[in-house]
């Protein structure tokens, strides 16, 4: 049984490029906020700060990333059921 399925083979070239771009933005966002948390500039125990952090993922197109990922997963699943 495959643990990590190769969904990427179900993406178009454009989708692969878009996912790569989004992933880069997400990683930059995550690194920035990690620095805030580690240095104490932002408090992870503050619910408002945490909500701001989570909401920020909307700005880095997390929904679009997951949309493409799910499409690949559904295509993979459909192929496995044949």
């Amino acid at each position: 049984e495959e643990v990590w399925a190769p969904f990427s083979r179900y993406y178009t070239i454009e989708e692969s490029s878009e996912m790569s771009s989004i992933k880069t933005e997400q990683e930059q966002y995550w690194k920035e906020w990690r620095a805030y948390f580690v240095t104490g500039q932002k408090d992870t125990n503050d619910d408002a700060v945490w909500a701001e952090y989570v909401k920020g993922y909307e700005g880095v197109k997390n929904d679009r990333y997951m949309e493409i990922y799910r499409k690949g997963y559904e295509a993979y699943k459909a192929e496995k059921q044949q």
Side-chain angles (χ1 to χ4, degrees):
E1 180 179 337
E2 293 176 283
V3 177
W4 295 105
F7 302 152
S8 60
R9 73 179 188 195
Y10 300 102
Y11 305 146
T12 64
I13 293 170
E14 292 80 13
E15 288 169 335
S16 291
S17 177
E18 185 177 3
M19 285 187 80
S20 177
S21 223
I22 292 170
K23 189 68 175 166
T24 299
E25 289 178 45
Q26 289 174 336
E27 287 173 355
Q28 182 58 40
Y29 180 78
W30 178 76
K31 286 177 184 177
E32 180 181 331
W33 275 83
R34 180 180 59 182
Y36 291 148
F37 294 142
V38 168
T39 62
Q41 293 177 28
K42 304 262 185 185
D43 183 1
T44 58
N45 295 315
D46 182 329
D47 289 340
V49 168
W50 190 255
E52 178 186 357
Y53 169 67
V54 171
K55 186 166 177 54
Y57 273 99
E58 292 172 10
V60 291
K61 304 175 191 156
N62 195 54
D63 290 343
R64 177 63 180 146
Y65 185 89
M66 292 308 299
E67 177 186 331
I68 297 169
Y69 185 86
R70 279 188 201 101
K71 178 185 168 230
Y73 172 70
E74 292 300 327
Y76 170 79
K77 236 175 42 171
E79 184 179 274
K80 286 293 188 183
Q81 291 176 352
Q82 294 178 356

